[in-house]
Amino acid sequence: MAGIYIHIPFCKQACNYCNFHFVTSLRRKNELIAAIVHEIDLIAGQTSDKAEVIDTIYFGGGTPSICTADEMRSMLEKIYSMYEVSPAAEVTIETNNVCHILMLVEG
């Protein structure tokens, strides 16, 4: 079983329970997404286990759900183009439910 983890360090706010690297400024988000897409190319070109099928793709953070649909699509399209991904692969995007509830309430 093989998997890919992508760390998206952006958050709307600092949470007192979080010990992971994060930033609250989205100023360089576009640069980071482009760098991740480029790094997928680099890593895929260096791995010797290309025949191994990817069963899980996990976007963690931070709050990866802060990414737009187009940003998620660009990363996923690159992964699918560079690796053999199982048709039954589990794709998970970590969210901060408290932040999502606040966004829904605040409109």
Side-chain angles (χ1 to χ4, degrees):
M1 176 181 227
I4 294 174
Y5 172 81
I6 297 180
H7 185 79
I8 307 291
F10 301 106
C11 295
K12 287 205 178 259
Q13 65 186 33
C15 296
N16 61 355
Y17 57 82
C18 182
N19 292 322
F20 296 100
H21 172 74
F22 69 91
V23 293
T24 55
S25 169
L26 301 179
R27 186 174 47 91
R28 300 190 70 188
K29 186 172 85 156
N30 293 340
E31 292 175 56
L32 180 75
I33 300 301
I36 288 170
V37 169
H38 180 67
E39 188 164 347
I40 293 167
D41 259 335
L42 294 175
I43 298 299
Q46 296 174 4
T47 55
S48 59
D49 58 349
K50 290 180 188 164
E52 195 166 1
V53 177
I54 302 298
D55 294 309
T56 62
I57 302 169
Y58 189 91
F59 293 89
T63 309
S65 56
I66 208 165
C67 292
T68 66
D70 285 339
E71 290 166 339
M72 294 302 295
R73 186 178 302 110
S74 69
M75 291 182 282
L76 285 167
E77 283 177 350
K78 181 54 73 173
I79 291 169
Y80 276 80
S81 72
M82 300 303 294
Y83 292 93
E84 183 180 347
V85 179
S86 167
E90 179 180 309
V91 178
T92 304
I93 301 170
E94 184 179 320
T95 65
N96 182 330
N97 292 333
V98 172
C99 290
H100 285 282
I101 290 168
L102 289 175
M103 286 188 298
L104 290 173
V105 170
E106 293 171 358

